[in-house]
Amino acid sequence: MPATTYAVAGMSCGHCKATLTEVIGELDGVSGVEVDLDAGHVTVTSAAEPDDAVIAEAVHEAGYELTGRV
């Protein structure tokens, strides 16, 4: 399964990690989410190429900003 890594601004703690893991993990086709707070990256594993706009909206709704792919 392909993995796509995104840069996400505003993450700083375990709550941030848990929130993003939950909201992104609930999206259709997503099978895994890994959050690296130190690097500011979120890696999304999915069955197909993820829709960046859908990921960005989920991140925004959670209170963070997706700044692009890494």
Side-chain angles (χ1 to χ4, degrees):
M1 290 192 172
T4 305
T5 302
Y6 298 95
V8 177
M11 303 184 302
S12 62
C13 65
H15 180 264
C16 300
K17 182 175 181 173
T19 298
L20 287 171
T21 299
E22 181 179 343
V23 299
I24 296 171
E26 292 175 346
L27 297 174
D28 287 341
V30 173
S31 59
V33 179
E34 291 183 35
V35 178
D36 183 340
L37 293 174
D38 293 332
H41 295 163
V42 175
T43 300
V44 178
T45 304
S46 54
E49 184 73 17
D51 183 334
D52 292 348
V54 172
I55 302 287
E57 179 64 21
V59 169
H60 177 76
E61 289 292 319
Y64 308 95
E65 180 184 5
L66 188 148
T67 58
R69 286 190 182 208
V70 176

